[in-house]
Amino acid sequence: MKPHDSVALTDFVSYASPEMIARAASFHESMKRRHTIRYFSREKVPQEVVESAVKTAGLAPSGANHQPWHFSVIASPQVKQTIRIKAEEEERAFYDGKAGQEWLDALDPLGTDENKEFLETAPYLIAVFAQRRGGVEVSDQKKNYYINESVGIACGFLIAALHQAGLGILTHTPNPMSFLNDVCKRPNNEKAYLLLVVGKPADNATVPTHATIKKPFQDIASFF
């Protein structure tokens, strides 16, 4: 095996079985209260909360540890308005037939449409970009590996961290999302991956009944 530098694992915390079970169950119960919402409060959220969540996302595992992601955090009302205008342009085309009837039928139970008011209402938008080239050093221009998988895991970390802080999240993917590169001043070697809408739920927030239907455990897991 090729020799490599390493450091001792000193910060891992081990738990006895009863506490392991309790902690896993507690996290599951917390995540059961995570819902995708489309109605946000305009109440301000401390930037430090979002910063901590993004730092958590940056700890996600990635191909060759290249960390092929960038998170653009947007609070400016003017920038959010620009994003809404551009996103709704794409969404109108989507709902006017670009998506295809099968896709529209799949979305119908959720009640979504081309109106994306939440893009201006929520205090924060987080545009997540996937980097085609990079590396551990910011100046690196190496080929990145398992980009979608790595960025997807980081987004999972980010969503969980925001939820644990008491915030609501919407995953939004206008198609195409290339306009986000211009708005967020990101280079061409990055591709917009996801737009997260972040804030506290509005007092009248609802969740589509269809979104509460989750597959039973026996249908999503197998043990051998």
Side-chain angles (χ1 to χ4, degrees):
M1 179 180 292
K2 182 179 178 180
H4 55 81
D5 293 332
S6 61
V7 295
L9 177 64
T10 60
D11 56 358
F12 182 82
V13 180
S14 182
Y15 302 101
S17 293
E19 187 171 358
M20 288 174 63
I21 294 169
R23 291 173 69 90
S26 176
F27 185 75
H28 174 243
E29 287 301 313
S30 173
M31 294 305 292
K32 280 170 64 176
R33 297 189 293 273
R34 188 216 64 82
H35 302 287
T36 298
I37 62 170
R38 293 175 174 81
Y39 304 97
F40 288 85
S41 166
R42 294 184 182 275
E43 183 179 345
K44 292 184 178 180
V45 172
Q47 182 174 308
E48 291 83 355
V49 176
V50 179
E51 287 180 359
S52 291
V54 172
K55 288 177 183 178
T56 299
L59 299 175
S62 61
N65 192 38
H66 280 195
Q67 304 153 63
W69 45 64
H70 182 87
F71 304 90
S72 290
V73 181
I74 302 144
S76 162
Q78 293 78 19
V79 177
K80 289 192 292 182
Q81 182 182 57
T82 297
I83 289 176
R84 178 184 178 182
I85 291 170
K86 292 182 177 294
E88 287 185 342
E89 289 177 2
E90 303 297 347
E91 294 293 294
R92 278 191 291 272
F94 179 89
Y95 285 96
D96 283 345
K98 179 181 176 181
Q101 195 57 49
E102 186 175 10
W103 196 347
L104 293 176
D105 288 344
L107 289 172
D108 185 64
L110 297 173
T112 59
D113 57 29
E114 65 275 11
N115 178 44
K116 307 301 176 186
E117 181 180 355
F118 48 72
L119 293 174
E120 289 191 84
T121 306
Y124 290 103
L125 305 178
I126 304 178
V128 184
F129 293 88
Q131 299 174 331
R132 297 182 179 91
R133 305 194 70 84
V136 175
E137 301 296 333
V138 174
S139 59
D140 286 346
Q141 287 298 313
K142 302 173 184 177
K143 180 180 178 180
N144 285 333
Y145 301 91
Y146 299 106
I147 299 170
N148 288 336
E149 294 86 348
S150 300
V151 179
I153 295 170
C155 287
F157 273 41
L158 179 56
I159 290 169
L162 291 167
H163 173 71
Q164 291 300 309
L167 294 174
I169 309 102
L170 169 67
T171 53
H172 184 43
T173 52
N175 185 22
M177 291 192 287
S178 54
F179 66 84
L180 287 172
N181 286 69
D182 295 330
V183 174
C184 298
K185 298 180 173 58
R186 300 309 304 166
N188 291 333
N189 73 325
E190 295 184 1
K191 181 178 180 181
Y193 182 90
L194 184 65
L195 184 61
L196 287 180
V197 186
V198 179
K200 293 185 178 180
D203 291 339
N204 63 343
T206 60
V207 177
T209 302
H210 181 72
T212 67
I213 303 171
K214 304 301 180 185
K215 293 180 179 179
F217 179 69
Q218 63 268 22
D219 289 344
I220 67 169
S222 299
F223 289 78
F224 297 91

